[in-house]
Amino acid sequence: SITAEDLPQDAETFSKQKIPYVEVDVLKCFDDILRNVLSGTAVFFVDGYDAALCMDCRSYPARGVDEPDKDKSLRGSRDGFVETIVFNTALMRRRIRDPHLIMEMTEAGQSSRTDIAVCYMSDRVDEELLNIKSRIEKLEVDDLRMNQQSLAEALFKRKWFNPFPKFKFTERPDTAAACLLEGKVVILVDNAPSAMILPTSILDMIEEANDYYFPTLTGMYLKISRTLITIATVFFTPLYLFYMQNPQWLPGVFSFVMVRDQINLPLIWQFLLLELSIDGLRLAAMNTPTMLSTPL
């Protein structure tokens, strides 16, 4: 018990001398106090002090840091980001034990007040990239209902006809740590099991962790092959359709690809129906219960 005579003069001294706990903050702003109460922390008010004492005794519900299904690696670590931002920052600090690693916490959304961590290496990052933190703080949005996607749409308004992403997303902590060491900025959003990396390019989008876990020659082969396959995926179908509509421009070496039989449906509609069928199969596979997937 603490008597009135034992009370220190201010709240800062009281938190250091009388509260045997690590995560204790002294808050004077009522908005910060209200935000902490709504976040689940315990706030103590002591008569005579002009500040409140905030104790973070929360235990965060989280799933295991298993390897993500869509970003697997043949070698390397088998952990992945989860929906709890505290765990995600710990996964990166475990890999980068450097005092230059800075993780600045902020929030966005008047209603949701979603926690956001802006991570960068202070000795390697481009100073112009750090303006992203002030842009996040100035956002006038009600909530981030779709987590990172809502943040991306609020930061960079993209045109409806642009299908390319403006950020690189990764669910692997080793990939995020490697990007930090390259001088990039990583943004973590609470309730999102992935990290946003900027700046990025088309070549960054097709990178994989396997490129770095193999020898140099093998890694270069994987990068080149993936680049060629990406180009072929984007351009070969319209190029094939172009030559089928203009057979006089098709080189004689590739004459075997010509459609010579009479068809009742134009080739472009066949491609569109095939694309729609593939999307239908994908949706069916996503919504089919596990116990029915094998019989089907």
Side-chain angles (χ1 to χ4, degrees), residues 84-252:
T84 308
I85 191 173
V86 177
F87 290 2
N88 295 339
T89 55
L91 287 173
M92 287 199 296
R93 284 204 175 273
R94 184 180 180 182
R95 288 170 168 82
I96 305 177
R97 303 175 182 179
D98 193 312
H100 294 100
L101 175 59
I102 307 298
M103 295 184 177
E104 299 182 357
M105 293 293 297
T106 183
E107 62 180 26
Q110 279 88 17
S111 297
S112 62
R113 295 190 176 183
T114 306
D115 291 327
I116 300 173
V118 180
C119 313
Y120 58 92
M121 298 292 293
S122 59
D123 58 337
R124 307 187 185 192
V125 69
D126 188 356
E127 295 296 332
E128 295 183 1
L129 293 176
L130 299 182
N131 295 330
I132 192 69
K133 185 175 183 293
S134 60
R135 295 185 60 177
I136 293 175
E137 294 174 347
K138 294 178 181 178
L139 288 179
E140 296 182 358
V141 293
D142 183 64
D143 58 82
L144 300 182
R145 61 190 67 184
M146 299 304 294
N147 298 326
Q148 290 178 334
Q149 187 60 33
S150 299
L151 179 62
E153 295 293 340
L155 284 175
F156 298 99
K157 304 290 185 182
R158 69 178 181 182
K159 300 179 180 178
W160 63 269
F161 54 82
N162 183 9
F164 298 102
K166 294 184 177 296
F167 297 91
K168 177 182 178 181
F169 294 89
T170 182
E171 297 184 29
R172 297 185 61 91
D174 51 357
T175 301
C179 293
L180 283 175
L181 295 174
E182 292 175 0
K184 298 183 179 181
V185 175
V186 175
I187 300 177
L188 299 174
V189 181
D190 197 17
N191 302 317
S194 58
M196 300 169 55
I197 301 172
L198 60 101
T200 187
S201 64
I202 296 296
L203 297 179
D204 294 334
M205 296 293 180
I206 61 176
E207 281 187 343
E208 287 186 357
N210 290 317
D211 300 342
Y212 300 94
Y213 283 115
F214 286 99
T216 304
L217 183 61
T218 307
M220 289 300 298
Y221 164 73
L222 292 175
K223 286 184 179 181
I224 294 174
S225 61
R226 193 178 299 110
T227 303
L228 293 178
I229 292 172
T230 302
I231 295 175
T233 303
V234 174
F235 293 106
F236 270 21
T237 299
L239 188 63
Y240 176 77
L241 180 62
F242 172 77
Y243 280 123
M244 292 304 101
Q245 295 177 346
N246 302 274
Q248 67 275 12
W249 292 344
L250 182 68

Side-chain angles (χ1 to χ4, degrees), residues 52-77:
L53 303 174
C54 177
M55 292 181 59
D56 191 355
C57 305
R58 295 172 294 181
S59 60
Y60 299 92
R63 58 182 174 89
V65 289
D66 299 327
E67 185 179 19
D69 294 331
K70 296 184 178 180
D71 200 1
K72 291 183 177 294
S73 175
L74 298 177
R75 299 181 183 177
S77 59

